[in-house]
Amino acid sequence: MKTPFAPTRECAAQLDAADQLAAFKKEFLFPQHNGADAIYFCGNSLGLQARKVSAAIQQELNDWQQLAVEGYFHAKNPWLFYHEQFSETLAGMMGCHKDEVTVMNTLTVNLHLMLQSFYRPSGKRNKIMMEAGAFPSDQYALETVARLHHLDPDTTIIEIHPRSGEKLLRTEDILATIETHGDELALLLMGGINYYTGQLYDIATITAAAQRQGAFAGWDLAHVAGNIPMQLHNWNVDFAVWCSYKYLNGGPGAVGGLFVHEKHGNDPGFPRAAGWWGNDERTRFKMEKGFVPKKGASGWQISTAQVFNMVSLKASLEHFKVAGIEKLRAKSLELTAYLEYLLGQSSMPFEIITPKEQEWRGAQLSLYFPENGKAIHTQMMQQGIICDYREPGVIRLAPAPLYCSFNDVYRFYEVLKNMPHAL
Ligand SMILES: *Cc1c(COP(=O)(O)O)cnc(C)c1O
């Protein structure tokens, strides 16, 4: 039976005792605060280092030292195929075939590569639709891709805004905007979860609506990967990109992820920017003219696998594989629900701007403080609770289920409760 929520340390301890994934916390390294592990709610920004990472990096250093060029074939994890080790676990999380997923480059670079392939304005059909207030890198990418096509970003990019007085986007408004611009729409590109509000959009419904109008639908899943299980293949998403250093714990600047639906990935004629690593291995080393893309997302690979950029991700994904994304999501729902419950007991004036419905959010809750947001954030940091602050007025809390406990969440509430209202 589930433990009913109560705003007490005992309740948090009971919830932790019942948590089947609690042991994974030990597998990660925490920043230190006064000689103890800090509480870490920034896994939506930079995930923690798995304990296994040092040994995994040492393995590659040793193989490089001892095998040098032979390491491409004979390293413990042969470098020639290094990126392929991720396909199975990522395919499980993203809900797609192994061929439809790969890792390469970094998120915004991959987004540009996808824009080359999927944004092909033609006559009147030249608009790109995105959510207002998207992550700045995505905004810059779209602005510059419009210019590359000699189009004015201000008229080419259609932003969907929340209704006046609201902070979240309503699906019906997104669908209506898609319909309004139907025959002008070339591409819809949205963040799966908005980094600021924590809102998860209805990827399946929105994708289908854009495609009904003859547009491609692509998603930036930076805040989704490792947070919420996806069904990208069945939802018929055209492409998706994500980074690996947030919930996936790949480390700063870790290799990015890419999904390309097989209906495009199996088409060797699909336009793309090519490099030798995307070429069929059987002919790659013949060093001849004539690009022959590999099947699937790997056909978008460009350069030699960046092994040192992938090692930490490999170590972390081994934990994801054992824990299972569905079980992690189940814990995450309860952990975030407990946080929401505790926040509801607090008399501090703030508003949770993240959707109340569990199915429309991930681990993160965004707390909007009309005043004192920054001061409260500073106090939390001084108490060893690492969370982040985004203008205007928002503290984001992301209890990542792999390494956060119910007691961690309780501590945030305890510190908040004991904080004076006037700061
Ligand atoms: C974190 C994040 C990025 C970061 O892009 P990089 O190219 O990895 O620096 C881009 N878009 C979104 C939506 C993000 O959340």
Side-chain angles (χ1 to χ4, degrees):
M1 210 189 81
K2 276 200 172 167
T3 311
F5 289 164
T8 61
R9 190 172 274 267
E10 292 68 36
C11 174
Q14 275 176 18
L15 289 164
D16 279 329
D19 170 14
Q20 291 174 5
L21 302 180
F24 286 96
K25 194 178 183 58
K26 289 198 307 292
E27 303 294 337
F28 288 84
L29 297 166
F30 288 76
Q32 297 296 294
H33 177 79
N34 294 341
D37 286 356
I39 290 172
Y40 196 73
F41 292 140
C42 281
N44 56 345
S45 201
L46 182 72
L48 293 180
Q49 185 183 136
R51 255 177 219 283
K52 298 189 201 178
V53 168
S54 295
I57 291 183
Q58 197 57 52
Q59 173 76 46
E60 302 312 327
L61 286 171
N62 292 349
D63 285 350
W64 181 20
Q65 182 197 338
Q66 287 161 21
L67 302 168
V69 72
E70 301 273 279
Y72 278 103
F73 288 99
H74 301 301
K76 178 163 180 245
N77 312 297
W79 303 327
L80 194 62
F81 311 105
Y82 200 91
H83 52 287
E84 292 174 10
Q85 307 174 78
F86 302 90
S87 305
E88 193 180 330
T89 314
L90 287 176
M93 290 181 180
M94 292 301 176
C96 62
H97 303 154
K98 271 171 65 175
D99 270 3
E100 291 176 308
V101 73
T102 194
V103 296
M104 61 189 209
N105 315 309
T106 46
L107 194 168
T108 312
V109 172
N110 290 338
L111 178 55
H112 277 290
L113 294 174
M114 289 298 103
L115 290 171
Q116 269 197 32
S117 289
F118 288 92
Y119 179 56
R120 288 176 263 144
S122 146
K124 178 174 174 199
R125 193 179 281 285
N126 63 16
K127 307 280 190 242
I128 314 175
M129 194 169 286
M130 83 187 311
E131 79 276 28
F135 195 86
S137 205
D138 303 29
Q139 295 187 38
Y140 305 153
L142 294 192
E143 178 190 325
T144 51
V145 79
R147 291 219 173 85
L148 278 172
H149 287 280
H150 308 288
L151 295 166
D152 175 1
D154 289 339
T155 53
T156 302
I157 301 166
I158 299 162
E159 292 193 340
I160 315 165
H161 290 265
R163 294 186 187 184
S164 122
E166 299 186 7
K167 291 202 170 65
L168 302 174
L169 279 179
R170 298 190 192 196
T171 304
E172 61 195 280
D173 292 351
I174 300 173
L175 300 182
T177 316
I178 291 171
E179 197 136 312
T180 307
H181 294 278
D183 57 355
E184 306 170 332
L185 196 60
L187 174 69
L188 173 128
L189 179 88
M190 287 181 64
I193 289 184
N194 183 275
Y195 76 98
Y196 179 79
T197 61
Q199 180 178 12
L200 169 66
Y201 301 112
D202 187 343
I203 297 175
T205 304
I206 296 168
T207 295
Q211 290 170 343
R212 256 197 312 278
Q213 302 298 333
F216 287 126
W219 293 86
D220 178 338
L221 301 181
H223 281 261
V224 170
N227 183 11
I228 300 176
M230 295 276 103
Q231 286 298 332
L232 297 183
H233 177 87
N234 289 342
W235 296 340
N236 204 23
V237 164
D238 290 295
F239 72 88
V241 290
W242 58 90
C243 56
S244 305
Y245 49 78
K246 292 174 179 166
Y247 292 98
L248 292 176
N249 313 311
V255 68
L258 173 71
F259 162 86
V260 179
H261 199 281
E262 69 179 5
K263 66 188 168 177
H264 310 306
N266 288 349
D267 171 6
F270 206 84
R272 69 191 80 196
W276 74 325
W277 230 248
N279 197 82
D280 192 326
E281 269 122 18
R282 284 164 301 189
T283 56
R284 183 189 295 159
F285 292 96
K286 289 189 178 158
M287 307 304 212
E288 282 172 354
K289 260 193 203 309
F291 174 63
V292 184
K294 286 200 276 196
K295 256 180 82 169
S298 298
W300 271 261
Q301 289 271 347
I302 294 189
S303 293
T304 312
Q306 296 156 284
V307 171
F308 284 100
N309 203 10
M310 301 185 188
V311 177
S312 321
L313 178 62
K314 175 171 153 61
S316 167
L317 284 188
E318 286 166 6
H319 293 309
F320 274 94
K321 192 170 178 190
V322 176
I325 189 71
E326 298 291 345
K327 281 194 184 152
L328 281 163
R329 173 64 170 159
K331 172 175 174 184
S332 177
L333 285 172
E334 208 185 357
L335 199 55
T336 299
Y338 189 50
L339 174 61
E340 183 182 40
Y341 163 81
L342 292 173
L343 291 169
Q345 311 291 310
S346 157
S347 58
M348 189 70 88
F350 63 82
E351 178 198 349
I352 300 177
I353 62 174
T354 307
K356 288 188 182 48
E357 304 84 8
Q358 297 199 340
E359 65 267 43
W360 299 124
R361 69 188 188 201
Q364 173 183 331
L365 291 183
S366 301
L367 280 43
Y368 172 68
F369 290 84
E371 41 198 62
N372 291 331
K374 186 74 203 128
I376 293 167
H377 175 253
T378 305
Q379 297 229 357
M380 286 294 166
M381 297 293 285
Q382 281 166 0
Q383 298 284 329
I385 299 179
I386 302 178
C387 50
D388 84 3
Y389 179 77
R390 292 285 151 132
E391 293 291 355
V394 163
I395 293 180
R396 299 186 307 167
L397 301 172
L402 253 187
Y403 51 71
C404 289
S405 66
F406 290 87
N407 188 59
D408 290 348
V409 161
Y410 179 77
R411 273 291 295 152
F412 182 90
Y413 162 70
E414 197 174 49
V415 172
L416 191 68
K417 192 174 64 168
N418 294 329
M419 217 178 263
H421 282 207
L423 289 166

